[in-house]
Amino acid sequence: MKYQRILLKLSGEALMGDKSHGIDPIQIDTYAKEIKKVFDEGTEIAIVIGGGNIFRGISGAGKGMDRVQADYMGMLGTVINGLALQGALENNNVPTRLQTAIKIEAIAEPFIKRKATRHLEKGRVVIFGSGTGNPFFTTDSAAVLRAIEINADVILKGTRVDGIYTEDPEKNIEATKFDNISFDEVLKKGIKVMDTTAFTLSQENKLPIIVFDINTPGNLLNVVKGDNIGTRVDL
């Protein structure tokens, strides 16, 4: 395997499947089975999930809610998603630990870097919930931060498109895909890969990002093996 320790970033919306909101049990089981394929190869796996399928803080703030309160609600949404994914993984015989940046000790461990690393070394998948634990930061930022803290080899951003394009391929069929692109090129071309804070943090720490289609069976495993799938962002 090319990568020995990965940080997988999933959006909350990815868990909806064909639903308009919430969690589709069939979809989350499908993701669990894809993660198990990688787990069975001995790769150490950490995961960060968004909460947009339940509540998105910035959207609530745009409708008059207090931004800090709204962001904390979004963080709790990511914990719900983390619990759901934990259940799906353990139903597929994958040992899992959920750690959260906000203390909710009845259902999850508090985030402790050394403990998270030890879980990975012992062959457990670690899910990080509640983002960074701070308002005004996205789960993209949480994904990069946690990846740096656990010394991940790469961030794998699973999306519904198969990489980074010159334009949105769902809006312009003429858009062309990049197989590889540098951090500087992404900034120069104004391409949206992650929010600016997350992207800059990844660039400063020389942590590559691979954007790929998570919904194609076998893609996650093949990316971890080093196959040329999706788009790699690197120095």
Side-chain angles (χ1 to χ4, degrees):
M1 304 294 278
K2 181 171 183 178
Y3 304 111
Q4 294 305 310
R5 180 176 292 175
I6 65 169
L7 188 294
L8 175 63
K9 172 61 169 63
L10 293 172
S11 69
E13 289 88 341
L15 306 186
M16 295 191 302
D18 295 328
K19 298 179 182 293
S20 60
H21 66 281
I23 298 167
D24 180 353
I26 295 173
Q27 183 65 72
I28 203 166
D29 183 66
T30 299
Y31 288 143
K33 285 178 167 57
E34 291 298 306
I35 292 166
K36 180 175 170 57
K37 292 176 185 176
V38 178
F39 174 81
D40 286 345
E41 294 292 328
T43 300
E44 297 174 0
I45 306 165
I47 304 170
V48 170
I49 315 178
N53 58 319
I54 296 172
F55 188 84
R56 188 178 293 279
I58 196 167
S59 297
K63 295 174 183 175
M65 294 183 70
D66 177 80
R67 174 63 189 272
V68 173
Q69 291 289 88
D71 277 356
Y72 278 117
M73 290 170 68
M75 289 180 219
L76 294 177
T78 72
V79 177
I80 292 171
N81 286 339
L83 285 166
L85 183 58
Q86 181 179 39
L89 285 166
E90 293 189 342
N91 284 341
N92 283 278
N93 299 311
V94 177
T96 310
R97 294 292 186 272
L98 174 62
Q99 292 196 342
T100 57
I102 298 171
K103 289 186 178 181
I104 317 177
E105 293 177 357
I107 58 175
E109 298 176 358
F111 169 70
I112 299 171
K113 174 199 176 299
R114 289 179 182 272
K115 199 166 187 179
T117 303
R118 188 65 179 142
H119 285 319
L120 293 169
E121 291 170 348
K122 286 187 172 183
R124 299 164 185 152
V125 171
V126 180
I127 302 169
F128 297 119
S130 65
T132 66
N134 300 288
F136 302 102
F137 289 91
T138 67
T139 51
D140 277 347
S141 292
V144 177
L145 180 61
R146 295 291 180 252
I148 294 165
E149 288 176 309
I150 65 168
N151 297 312
D153 298 322
V154 66
I155 295 173
L156 305 182
K157 183 167 183 179
T159 68
R160 62 184 183 186
V161 294
D162 62 343
I164 299 170
Y165 285 75
T166 51
E167 297 178 62
D168 186 342
E170 295 181 345
K171 296 178 181 177
N172 183 0
I173 59 172
E174 301 295 324
T176 55
K177 176 177 168 284
F178 297 100
D179 290 330
N180 295 277
I181 189 169
S182 70
F183 285 104
D184 287 339
E185 283 182 277
V186 168
L187 294 171
K188 184 178 179 181
K189 296 177 186 295
I191 300 169
K192 188 73 173 173
V193 177
M194 290 180 163
D195 69 83
T196 306
T197 301
F199 190 78
T200 302
L201 190 60
S202 188
Q203 181 182 27
E204 288 176 349
N205 286 275
K206 302 181 173 123
L207 183 62
I209 304 166
I210 298 176
V211 180
F212 72 105
D213 177 9
I214 186 71
N215 293 320
T216 298
N219 257 8
L220 176 59
L221 177 61
N222 290 333
V223 168
V224 177
K225 284 181 175 177
D227 290 0
N228 189 22
I229 292 171
T231 302
R232 181 184 173 93
V233 186
D234 209 338
L235 294 175

